[in-house]
Amino acid sequence: MAAGSPVAGGDLHGLLALGTLLAVAALVAAAGRRVGIPTVPLYVLGGVLAGPHVAGAVGLPSVAPAEVLTLAEVGVVLLLFFLGLEFSLDRLIAARKKLSAAAAVDLLVNFPVGVVLGLAFGLGPIGAFLVGGIVYISSSAVITKSLVDLGWIADPEAEPVLGTLVAEDLVIAVYLALAVALVAGGSPVDALPRIAVALGFLIAVAAAAQLLAPRLAPYLGTSDEDLVVRTLAVALVVSGLALAVGASEAVAGFFVGVGVGATPLHDRVADRIAPLRDAFAVVFFAWVGLNTDPVAVAGVATFVLAAAALSGPAKVISGSVGGWLYDLSPRRSLRTGLALVPRGEFSLIIAALAAASPDPTIARVIPAFAVGYVLVMSFAGTIAMSEASRIERLVGVAEK
Amino acid sequence: MTVYESDLPGVGKKHEIELHGGERLVVVTHNTGKREVFRRADEDSDAEKLFELSDGLARTVGTVLEGAYFQPVATENIDTVLGGDALIEWYEVPEGSELAGETIEAADVRQRTGASIIAVDTGDDVTPNPDPGAGVHAGDTVVVIGSREEVDEFHETFIESPDGDDGDEEGDGDDGSGTVLD
């Protein structure tokens, strides 16, 4: 991903820029948590406030996106690295029957909703493809946290919800690979050679993860220090090479994660690297905020509200069908749908991708849309879950 | 009883244990090691969280539920009353004891105290019914049998003598049975 829309340079640099960004993001998140808003959109909001469009516009010292770009990219790679780490081909195969049906419903309902919205708001085929992804992909971070907080994690709906998230993660890996090539390529036909190169590279990484990783694992080190340094080195070198050949650095990070996850190092790596991911992911979310002009978000308000009004119910319906395919009762099926409503980190990754598009409409509209959409949907999704019993009564499937 | 296990990708594992009358106990083991324990009154009802435990605490509670001893703390002496006046007692031989570095025969245990050493535990291995010519070293644990008086005499002569601070006033119960959970 390249830096977003060019903005006037802020006047904070280096360490101070990074520290200020994190401090503002942390403050906003702490304030919002009291009201029960998930933290991912709040970090974005922190970035908006610390960035050139708000702090800079009122004459305060601000942070230019370029100051933290590399660290934000590390955040994206580590987010996907962890998805890969938790991703198990065996587990997917074991659950494939129920999962593939539920996952297919999820994809076939929600992706087209986004595509139609994108076309309706005049974004063209590539723009519509990006909006489709933003609207389709639920937020693993927000949903998993809500499941644990509300205690739904012990209820039967946890399985279709988490299963659908795993399937979405796999779809998004393929999707991002295509999206990177499409966004850079102008017309879809011009993009074909790029798609071929990018897919070729990712297939090579995937094969290496499958075949070489178990043999390479012992070299990742016995001490924790070696483990962290070497794992990061592998993840960043591979994802950096991916960027260089026009593939998605995030997807490369995903496959490195799959490779490491298949080795006995899985638990230790997860344990040692999770704090790094948490820190760098916050930088990424805040970086998205830095690139966001609240005026631009307000300018796409109609688009955001239309998308929320259509895609929220679409997720509830597709999720409910998914729950029903898992043989759940109507009430638990509805809950499966409600749980899948929040959108978050992956929609923001797509937004960051769109910001690099040579098409000025896509580069301007989609990131602003994504930020507004993620803010609305993560909040709406969290409310949908906490108010589930009221919604159940409303729909007439409440516990007798 | 059936235990259902399922994966919770990104979270950990879930085990559901069937209790009486359709009630279920649900244990969610997070990847971080944290355990959350829930109860579901019946198949349709929502899980109600009972408590959560850290990894270490969960293992301790598990051991207690299992009925296993967990880290019994070694006491200084453990006596076993055989009935009548006879008892068996364990002593660690202190540095400077007349018994340390001697054979049982040379220390004249039987003649001086009336008690007999029936086993010697060096920490590495245990010699039951040791030969009178067998050596005893400081740090070994000796198992002594005799009447209460004889055992007390043994204690005074060979165990308490060096620094005299090893006062173990015997009750007649087994004060060695206490175990402490870490």
Side-chain angles (χ1 to χ4, degrees):
Chain A
M1 132 204 12
S5 49
V7 283
D11 47 13
L12 290 175
H13 297 286
L15 280 179
L16 194 55
L18 179 64
T20 306
L21 183 65
L22 285 175
V24 173
L27 279 175
V28 174
R33 204 173 289 160
R34 287 164 183 263
V35 198
I37 306 176
T39 48
V40 172
L42 294 172
Y43 292 134
V44 178
L45 210 57
V48 175
L49 295 179
H53 299 291
V54 175
V58 299
L60 288 171
S62 68
V63 180
E67 284 288 330
V68 295
L69 173 63
T70 307
L71 297 178
E73 287 179 325
V74 175
V76 173
V77 170
L78 289 183
L79 274 173
L80 271 289
F81 173 83
F82 262 77
L83 278 191
L85 203 60
E86 291 296 333
F87 178 83
S88 146
L89 210 56
D90 298 340
R91 187 186 288 160
L92 199 70
I93 291 168
R96 76 180 173 283
K97 233 177 163 180
K98 284 176 178 176
L99 191 61
S100 56
V105 172
D106 181 43
L107 178 63
L108 293 178
V109 170
N110 297 290
F111 191 77
V113 168
V115 171
V116 168
L117 277 162
L119 290 175
F121 281 84
L123 288 172
I126 292 175
F129 180 76
L130 294 176
V131 175
I134 291 168
V135 165
Y136 160 66
I137 184 94
S138 301
S139 169
S140 305
V142 173
I143 293 170
T144 306
K145 186 169 186 308
S146 297
L147 285 179
V148 172
D149 287 350
L150 295 174
W152 292 17
I153 196 74
D155 288 329
E157 58 265 26
E159 280 144 73
V161 171
L162 293 173
T164 305
L165 290 179
V166 169
E168 284 188 358
D169 295 341
L170 187 65
V171 171
I172 211 67
V174 178
Y175 171 90
L176 282 177
L178 291 174
V180 166
L182 278 174
V183 165
S187 84
V189 180
D190 296 340
L192 277 179
R194 285 171 177 280
I195 293 178
V197 172
L199 284 183
F201 178 80
L202 292 175
I203 289 168
V205 174
Q210 195 65 34
L211 301 173
L212 290 180
R215 256 175 281 173
L216 288 179
Y219 298 102
L220 285 179
T222 44
S223 77
D224 285 344
E225 184 180 330
D226 284 350
L227 187 72
V228 170
V229 173
R230 293 176 191 180
T231 308
L232 270 187
V234 173
L236 295 185
V237 165
V238 173
S239 52
L241 286 175
L243 269 187
V245 300
S248 161
E249 81 280 28
V251 183
F254 175 83
F255 284 120
V256 174
V258 172
V260 176
T263 71
L265 291 173
H266 172 279
D267 288 351
R268 275 180 64 215
V269 169
D271 202 39
R272 303 297 158 198
I273 299 194
L276 290 175
R277 174 208 49 190
D278 294 343
F280 285 116
V282 172
V283 178
F284 167 69
F285 298 135
W287 174 84
V288 171
L290 291 180
N291 283 307
T292 304
D293 182 352
V295 177
V297 177
V300 294
T302 332
F303 188 13
V304 169
L305 292 178
L310 273 178
S311 67
K315 260 298 180 191
V316 176
I317 292 167
S318 67
S320 300
V321 173
W324 174 72
L325 288 169
Y326 268 72
D327 298 321
L328 297 187
S329 70
R331 173 166 163 262
R332 302 222 168 268
S333 299
L334 175 65
R335 284 189 164 203
T336 307
L338 293 174
L340 286 167
V341 167
R343 313 297 204 280
E345 61 277 26
F346 299 107
S347 304
L348 295 175
I349 291 175
I350 299 170
L353 193 66
S357 169
D359 180 332
T361 316
I362 291 177
R364 187 170 45 81
V365 174
I366 291 186
F369 163 74
V371 168
Y373 181 72
V374 166
L375 280 171
V376 171
M377 293 312 284
S378 52
F379 192 46
T382 314
I383 290 180
M385 287 179 83
S386 58
E387 296 299 312
S389 45
R390 210 165 292 176
I391 299 171
E392 284 157 17
R393 277 198 297 276
L394 210 67
V395 182
V397 293
E399 206 174 358
K400 59 263 161 210
Chain B
M1 182 190 71
T2 316
V3 179
Y4 302 91
E5 181 186 304
S6 48
D7 266 323
L8 301 172
V11 178
K13 265 193 192 302
K14 178 171 81 175
H15 290 91
E16 288 197 40
I17 301 139
E18 268 184 357
L19 307 174
H20 309 290
E23 202 182 358
R24 285 184 180 195
L25 195 68
V26 185
V27 180
V28 174
T29 307
H30 291 253
N31 289 336
T32 57
K34 183 177 86 176
R35 318 286 205 283
E36 284 185 290
V37 181
F38 299 83
R39 171 182 167 274
R40 293 180 57 208
D42 59 68
E43 212 182 326
D44 274 347
S45 60
D46 293 334
E48 160 203 356
K49 184 163 163 176
L50 300 176
F51 54 86
E52 74 177 56
L53 299 168
S54 69
D55 190 32
L57 205 50
R59 288 169 198 275
T60 305
V61 172
T63 315
V64 171
L65 293 177
E66 198 177 45
Y69 272 154
F70 188 74
Q71 292 194 342
V73 169
T75 51
E76 286 192 37
N77 63 318
I78 305 159
D79 62 6
T80 303
V81 180
L82 293 176
D85 195 30
L87 79 153
I88 296 174
E89 187 145 351
W90 280 250
Y91 290 111
E92 189 179 315
V93 178
E95 204 73 52
S97 160
E98 282 185 53
L99 192 55
E102 289 289 345
T103 64
I104 296 170
E105 196 171 27
D108 215 4
V109 174
R110 182 72 192 273
Q111 294 306 316
R112 289 171 65 184
T113 68
S116 299
I117 294 177
I118 56 169
V120 178
D121 180 356
T122 63
D124 293 327
D125 61 349
V126 179
T127 312
N129 202 9
D131 191 272
V136 178
H137 301 94
D140 290 357
T141 299
V142 290
V143 183
V144 179
I145 191 168
S147 70
R148 181 167 298 283
E149 276 154 32
E150 288 164 350
V151 171
D152 283 350
E153 185 65 33
F154 177 90
H155 176 239
E156 255 168 54
T157 311
F158 294 111
I159 306 303
E160 211 175 35
S161 45
D163 35 25
D165 68 346
D166 187 17
D168 60 325
E169 294 305 316
E170 243 111 288
D172 48 355
D174 55 337
D175 53 357
S177 66
T179 56
V180 177
L181 295 178
D182 187 16

